[in-house]
């Protein structure tokens, strides 16, 4: 009675891929309108059933093609998801890191627990998981890693994490996993997370997804976060998979990498991580909320080999996948996984089509940075010929100084406590106890007097206790040397407290940017008031600290600058790297270094893309010709895919020609040959000596010129 054509399902699939908010219900309503029918909900359910069958057909076709092409081996898709990262060539320049990737969790892809819904759950035995998913059983292998890591620590009791139901980093109920003990960096990102994204309600069976992606945005791994926030078992499982598949020299970005690295070093992965040179960085934006010591050690701008990558790729990936949230929150496990698989498989195709644009834009950016920083550094050296800066050594010196300051524990001596008690007693003693109030105020005269007297007596009792403890014969007066020394310590503490308050309010200001302007204005006033307190205590230091203005605070690019304000001994202020203008020059130097690394990586990746297109021009026609005799329908499907790929490659060739014409281009101009140790395992491609097919490839490229001309005219 109802017929849904393959063409209709194909149109819906592509429409939904491009616009994930276009649901199956919207498609059914559209069809009803086109056929002059009144929409009924069961029509959408029928269309969903047909769509499931349609996608299953595609999965089986993919399985048959993968088997024929030799792509059905374990981890093949993970090893060949991004040609720029993974299509390694023989005799190519060596990079510091074999692959750059980022990992993070996202709480939008939630799945409501059927137990809280009305009716009975309809069991669905289908899986919906592709080979790139990490199963729950795989992830749960690492659920006790944090607890075990703490147990391995040298007799130092783990700090107890407070129970906070709004905090996604804490231990979840009924879970053997736990997150890293709180650090200042983790706490800052707790405060910065919007409240609506921090709550993990019990109604969700799946509370989100955790992914790793390469720096181009191709999906490497994905797993469900089950009834929990971003527990450490998810990044540990993801990193373990990366090491198993990609081997050595992996550089990953994670927003709390500083805490995560400590867990890795004390986990069962420690030996493998050290042997395989697994390294990580804090992403560029997330790094703004990390303290200065953490930035010097972990921030991506200081990491040799990181290039100009910001490692915030996950945020961009999630901005696209969030559109699925409304459609998958009330589905079955199968439909949730199927929808996510469909989304990410198309996202990878989309990113491959834009890969040459990615390389072009990054190349232009890197060349621009090199040019501007070259001019800046040349002018600096010319105008400061007497200065011979070594920015790398300065960075190491800054790290050592900050590390030393971090180890210095604030001493609380009895002398300091005694002087503080004396100050409070003097303040209480100076309270107005005169009884010269008007008759109208006589009702509370005795009440005020009694309170003031009690406060004074309490403070006197504390002072007397300290004097007895210290065996003092005479009370220290305002000019007593020991009192003045202790008073200096108290002033330093008050100054540090003022710095902490300013920093805390600036951190909170990140949240208030998303709220109404009235709240932001109110919070700005609180920062101004705290600045007044900071300048008050800063003026009491010896030597006095320069006042801090509102304009300086709002222009602070890194919260870590507050770490330089805390130091009161003059040690940091005497360092050249603490000078603001010198720090600006240092930043230009590191920008220059990272941009040069970017160029080297892009040159390698462009050569890989060129070679991949050349090899495809040989392998696809060869495979199609073989299939023509044994399986014509499958050959037709492979021919369709090759036609689509040729169209994308035509765009790549046009963009690569633009890259090669850039002033300053230093990369390859011809394809290379695939390093077969990192090969994709194509059973039939190995029979072809790719290096001897340049004439065929040249003919192919010339043929694409006509296609590219059509493309340009269409644009």
């Amino acid at each position: 009675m109802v017929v849904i054509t393959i063409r209709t399902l194909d149109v819906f699939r592509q429409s939904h891929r491009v616009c994930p908010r276009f649901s199956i219900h919207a498609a059914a309503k559209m069809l009803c309108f086109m056929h002059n029918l009144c929409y009924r909900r069961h029509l959408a359910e029928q269309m969903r059933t047909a769509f499931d069958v349609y996608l299953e057909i595609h999965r089986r076709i993919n399985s048959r093609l993968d088997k024929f092409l030799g792509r059905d081996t374990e981890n093949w898709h993970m090893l060949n998801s991004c040609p720029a990262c993974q299509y390694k060539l023989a005799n190519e320049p060596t990079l510091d890191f074999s692959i750059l990737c980022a990992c993070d969790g996202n709480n939008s892809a939630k799945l409501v627990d059927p137990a809280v819904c009305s009716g009975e759950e309809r069991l669905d035995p289908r899986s919906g998981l592709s080979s790139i998913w990490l199963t729950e059983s795989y992830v749960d292998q690492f659920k006790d890693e944090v607890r075990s890591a703490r147990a391995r620590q040298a007799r130092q009791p783990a700090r107890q994490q407070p129970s906070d139901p709004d905090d996604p980093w804490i231990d979840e109920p009924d879970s053997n996993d736990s997150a890293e003990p709180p650090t200042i960096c983790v706490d800052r990102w707790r405060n910065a997370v919007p409240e609506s994204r921090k709550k993990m309600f019990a109604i969700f069976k799946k509370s989100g997804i955790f992914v790793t992606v390469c720096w181009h945005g191709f999906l490497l791994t994905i797993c469900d976060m089950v009834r929990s926030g971003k527990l450490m078992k998810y990044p540990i499982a993801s990193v373990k998979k990366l090491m198993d598949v990609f081997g050595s020299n992996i550089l990953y970005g994670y927003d709390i990498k500083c805490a995560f690295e400590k867990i890795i070093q004390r986990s069962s992965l420690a030996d493998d991580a050290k042997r395989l040179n697994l390294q990580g960085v804090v992403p560029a934006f997330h790094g703004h909320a990390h303290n200065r010591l953490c930035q010097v050690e972990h921030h991506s701008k200081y990491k040799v080999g990181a290039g100009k990558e910001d490692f915030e790729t996950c945020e961009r990936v999630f901005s696209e996948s969030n559109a699925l949230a409304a459609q998958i929150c009330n589905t079955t496990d199968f439909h949730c996984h199927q929808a996510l698989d469909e989304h990410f498989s198309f996202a990878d195709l989309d990113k491959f089509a834009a890969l040459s644009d990615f390389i072009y834009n990054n190349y232009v950016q890197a060349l621009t940075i090199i040019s501007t920083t070259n001019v800046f550094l040349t002018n600096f050296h010319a105008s400061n010929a007497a200065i011979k800066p070594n920015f790398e050594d300065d960075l190491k010196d800054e790290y050592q100084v900050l590390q030393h300051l971090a180890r210095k524990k604030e001493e609380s001596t009895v002398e300091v406590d005694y002087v503080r008690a004396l100050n409070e007693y003097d303040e209480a003693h100076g309270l107005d106890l005169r009884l010269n109030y008007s008759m109208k105020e006589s009702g509370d005269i005795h009440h005020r007097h009694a309170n003031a007297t009690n406060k004074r007596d309490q403070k006197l009792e504390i002072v007397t206790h300290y004097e007895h403890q210290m065996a003092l014969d005479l009370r220290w007066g305002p000019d007593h040397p020991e009192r003045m020394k202790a008073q200096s310590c108290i002033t330093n503490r008050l100054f540090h407290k003022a710095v902490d308050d300013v920093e805390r309010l600036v951190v909170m200001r990140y949240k208030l940017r998303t709220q109404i302007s009235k709240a932001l204005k109110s919070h700005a006033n609180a920062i101004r008031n705290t600045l007044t307190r900071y300048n008050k205590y800063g003026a009491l230091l010896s030597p006095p600290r320069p006042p801090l203005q509102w304009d300086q605070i709002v222009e602070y690019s890194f919260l870590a600058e507050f770490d330089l304000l805390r130091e009161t001994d003059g040690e940091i202020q005497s360092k050249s790297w603490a000078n603001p203008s010198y720090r600006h020059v240092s930043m230009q130097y590191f920008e220059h270094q990272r941009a040069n690394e970017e160029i080297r990586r892009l040159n390698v990746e462009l050569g890989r893309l060129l070679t991949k297109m050349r090899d495809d021009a040989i392998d696809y026609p060869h495979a199609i010709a073989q299939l023509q005799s044994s399986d014509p329908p499958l050959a037709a499907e492979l021919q369709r895919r090759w036609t689509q790929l040729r169209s994308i490659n035509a765009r790549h060739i046009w963009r690569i020609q633009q890259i090669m014409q850039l002033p300053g281009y230093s990369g390859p101009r011809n394809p290379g040959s695939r390093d077969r140790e990192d090969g994709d395992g194509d059973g039939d491609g190995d029979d072809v000596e790719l290096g001897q097919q340049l004439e065929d490839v040249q003919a192919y490229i010339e043929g694409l010129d006509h296609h590219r001309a059509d493309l340009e005219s269409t644009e």
Side-chain angles (χ1 to χ4, degrees):
M1 297 175 62
V2 175
V3 175
I4 302 175
T5 65
I6 292 288
R7 182 64 176 171
T8 298
L9 295 171
D10 194 36
V11 169
F12 168 70
R13 184 194 191 196
Q14 301 307 324
S15 301
H16 179 64
R17 280 174 151 186
V18 175
C19 180
R21 289 183 175 85
F22 184 62
S23 66
I24 200 106
H25 295 278
K29 286 183 179 181
M30 177 189 71
L31 290 172
C32 287
F33 180 81
M34 293 175 64
H35 291 276
N36 300 318
L37 295 176
C38 180
Y39 171 75
R40 293 290 183 270
R41 188 176 181 85
H42 73 274
L43 296 174
E45 294 302 319
Q46 289 175 337
M47 188 171 179
R48 182 188 299 280
T49 303
F51 189 60
D52 288 345
V53 176
Y54 168 81
L55 292 180
E56 178 62 24
I57 292 173
H58 273 281
R59 280 191 287 270
R60 297 193 181 193
I61 293 173
N62 290 337
S63 177
R64 289 174 61 188
L65 280 174
D66 287 345
K67 185 176 181 180
F68 172 77
L69 297 173
R71 300 176 178 177
D72 56 346
T73 57
E74 185 180 8
N75 300 322
W76 186 93
H77 289 282
M78 190 173 172
L79 280 166
N80 293 271
S81 56
C82 176
C85 287
Q86 298 145 8
Y87 206 81
K88 297 182 181 180
L89 309 182
N91 302 319
E92 67 181 10
T94 302
L95 298 173
D96 294 289
F97 296 100
S98 61
I99 187 170
L100 308 181
C101 57
C103 59
D104 202 1
N106 177 260
N107 297 328
S108 295
K110 294 182 175 69
L111 181 64
V112 175
D113 193 335
V116 304
C117 301
S118 59
E120 295 183 2
E121 180 183 4
R122 184 175 60 187
L123 297 178
D124 192 339
R126 295 172 293 180
S127 169
L129 295 176
S130 65
S131 61
I132 212 163
W133 281 78
L134 305 181
T135 63
E136 288 185 35
S137 59
Y138 180 87
V139 173
D140 283 341
Q141 295 178 83
F142 309 98
K143 63 182 180 181
D144 297 322
E145 287 292 339
V146 176
R147 181 173 300 177
S148 301
R150 291 177 180 172
R152 294 187 185 99
Q153 282 187 280
R155 299 180 182 177
Q156 293 183 0
R159 295 192 300 172
Q160 184 63 35
Q161 174 76 346
S163 178
D164 180 359
D166 293 338
D167 192 342
W169 276 288
I170 65 170
D171 299 1
E172 297 294 333
D174 304 322
S175 172
N176 293 326
D177 193 6
S178 58
E180 167 70 6
T183 66
I184 185 172
C185 298
V186 175
D187 285 340
R188 284 171 177 175
W189 280 108
R190 283 195 185 105
N191 294 333
V193 174
E195 296 298 324
S196 60
R197 295 190 181 183
K198 293 202 296 186
K199 296 183 181 296
M200 291 290 108
F201 296 105
I203 64 172
F204 294 115
K205 181 179 180 181
K206 304 287 177 64
S207 51
I209 54 176
F210 196 95
V211 305
T212 58
V213 294
C214 76
W215 76 303
H216 304 94
F218 291 84
L219 187 67
L220 299 177
T221 68
I222 180 173
C223 64
D224 287 314
M225 295 195 296
V226 183
R227 303 184 189 276
S228 69
K230 292 189 280 188
L231 299 178
M232 281 293 179
K233 65 181 180 180
Y234 302 118
I236 291 175
S238 301
V239 164
K240 170 63 173 173
K241 187 67 173 180
L242 292 177
M243 290 192 296
D244 289 344
V245 174
F246 296 116
S248 60
N249 298 324
I250 299 171
L251 182 64
Y252 68 89
Y254 190 29
D255 52 7
I256 53 171
K257 177 262 174 181
C258 48
F260 177 61
E261 184 178 59
K262 297 175 184 177
I263 292 295
I264 290 292
Q265 291 173 348
R266 302 194 299 265
S267 71
S268 61
L269 275 61
D271 293 338
D272 287 341
K274 183 178 181 180
R275 175 175 56 85
L276 297 174
N277 190 33
L278 175 72
Q279 297 190 41
V281 293
V282 173
F285 172 74
H286 288 77
H288 285 231
H290 287 245
N291 64 71
R292 180 60 183 171
L293 177 60
C294 179
Q295 287 184 5
V296 172
E297 186 177 7
H298 302 294
H299 199 278
S300 57
K301 70 176 178 178
Y302 298 123
K303 191 67 174 179
V304 175
K308 286 298 297 172
E309 167 60 4
D310 59 8
F311 293 90
E312 299 287 358
T313 318
C314 289
E315 309 304 325
R316 295 186 281 272
V317 168
F318 292 145
S319 70
E320 300 171 357
S321 65
N322 287 344
L324 285 172
Q327 300 177 45
I328 63 177
C329 63
N330 287 299
T331 62
T332 63
D333 282 347
F334 167 75
H335 284 112
C336 176
H337 291 146
Q338 179 176 261
L340 289 169
D341 256 345
E342 275 289 296
H343 170 80
F344 284 114
S345 63
F346 177 74
D348 284 354
L349 292 174
D350 203 30
K351 288 176 175 59
F352 174 74
L355 192 54
S356 57
D357 292 336
F358 179 98
I359 296 175
Y360 173 82
N361 293 331
N362 282 33
Y363 217 108
V364 171
Q365 178 197 44
L367 289 175
T368 303
I369 291 173
I370 290 173
S371 175
T372 54
T373 54
N374 249 334
V375 173
F376 183 90
L377 292 172
T378 301
N379 292 337
F380 170 79
H381 291 300
S383 57
N384 299 272
I387 301 177
K388 302 296 182 183
N390 189 321
F391 299 110
E392 301 287 352
D393 289 344
D394 287 341
L395 188 67
K396 294 177 183 178
D397 181 56
E398 182 178 358
Y399 174 75
Q400 292 172 355
V401 171
L402 292 173
Q403 195 175 44
H404 171 69
L405 293 176
R407 286 196 297 262
K408 287 172 60 178
K409 296 183 178 179
E410 185 179 9
E411 298 180 358
S412 180
T413 64
V414 65
E415 289 83 5
V416 171
D417 294 336
Y418 170 60
V419 172
R420 184 185 288 113
L422 272 176
N423 293 338
E424 293 174 351
Y425 169 71
D426 291 342
E427 182 182 354
H429 189 68
L431 290 175
D432 189 4
L433 302 181
R434 295 171 299 171
L435 302 181
N436 56 350
Y437 298 103
S438 64
M439 292 298 296
K440 187 176 181 181
E441 300 172 319
S442 61
D444 62 347
I445 289 176
H446 295 290
H447 178 69
R448 295 181 184 180
H449 182 274
N451 285 343
T453 303
N454 289 337
K455 185 175 182 179
R456 182 194 61 190
D457 293 342
Q458 290 173 359
K459 299 301 180 183
L460 179 60
E461 183 179 349
I462 295 173
V463 169
T464 304
H465 170 74
Y466 279 118
E467 289 175 344
H468 176 74
Q469 182 180 351
M470 298 167 64
L472 295 179
D473 296 330
L474 294 175
R475 183 164 297 165
W476 290 354
D479 298 330
H480 193 285
E482 293 297 329
R483 180 169 181 174
M484 295 174 67
K485 180 180 178 181
Q487 184 62 49
S488 176
C489 294
I490 293 174
T491 302
N492 286 343
R493 293 182 184 183
L494 292 172
F495 175 74
H496 290 160
K497 178 65 167 57
V499 174
D500 291 339
D501 288 343
V502 173
E503 182 183 24
R504 175 179 54 82
L505 291 172
V506 172
V507 172
M508 295 175 64
R509 191 170 186 265
Y510 283 109
K511 276 201 305 182
L512 290 173
R513 289 180 187 275
T514 62
Q515 299 179 7
I516 59 176
S517 58
K518 182 179 179 180
L520 184 57
K521 181 180 178 181
S522 174
H523 203 72
N525 291 333
I527 296 178
R528 286 191 173 93
N529 294 335
T530 310
L531 275 178
T532 302
R533 201 153 47 86
Y534 165 86
N535 291 329
K536 170 187 173 182
Y537 293 118
L540 299 177
L541 297 176
S542 180
R545 185 61 54 84
L548 194 61
Q549 304 300 326
W550 165 259
D551 293 342
Q552 294 174 263
I553 285 294
V554 297
E555 302 242 339
Y556 267 19
S557 60
F558 287 95
L559 293 175
E561 301 294 337
F562 288 102
D563 295 334
L564 303 183
L565 298 178
R566 286 189 180 87
E567 198 270 327
T568 57
D569 296 335
E571 182 179 0
I572 287 183
Q573 278 66 37
S574 64
K575 299 290 186 179
S576 60
W577 46 260
N579 183 283
S581 59
Y582 189 90
R583 292 175 71 80
H584 179 63
V585 177
S586 176
M587 291 290 295
Q588 296 297 308
Y589 168 80
F590 286 110
E591 284 279 310
H592 183 80
Q593 295 299 106
R594 300 293 87 80
N596 278 312
E597 293 169 0
E598 183 91 351
I599 293 294
R600 289 196 291 272
R601 180 169 290 274
L602 292 174
N603 285 341
V604 170
E605 293 185 346
L606 188 139
R608 292 172 180 176
L609 181 58
L610 269 175
T611 306
K612 177 70 164 63
M613 292 191 296
R614 190 274 312 276
D615 291 354
D616 284 343
I618 298 168
D619 292 342
Y620 270 88
H622 183 70
I624 292 170
Q626 282 190 319
L627 273 175
Q628 286 286 3
S629 57
S630 60
D631 196 336
L634 201 59
E637 172 63 17
L638 191 58
Q639 178 65 56
R640 183 193 65 80
R641 298 187 184 191
W642 171 229
T643 301
Q644 183 184 48
L645 183 58
R646 287 184 60 175
S647 175
I648 294 173
N649 286 349
R651 170 75 181 192
H652 287 333
I653 290 173
W654 173 70
R655 180 61 85 182
I656 288 173
Q657 288 175 346
Q658 288 186 323
I659 297 173
M660 291 180 177
Q661 293 169 4
L662 289 173
Y665 175 74
S666 56
R669 297 190 176 273
N670 296 300
S673 59
R674 182 80 185 272
D675 185 352
R676 283 302 163 182
E677 290 184 1
D678 296 296
D680 56 8
D682 287 4
D684 297 285
D686 292 339
D687 297 333
V688 182
E689 290 294 333
L690 302 179
Q692 301 177 2
Q693 305 297 325
L694 290 178
E695 294 182 2
D696 294 341
V697 176
Q698 186 61 38
Y700 160 68
I701 293 176
E702 291 174 357
L704 286 178
D705 287 339
H706 302 290
H707 187 84
R708 188 181 69 249
D710 295 339
L711 183 66
E712 291 173 348
S713 62
T714 302
E715 291 181 346

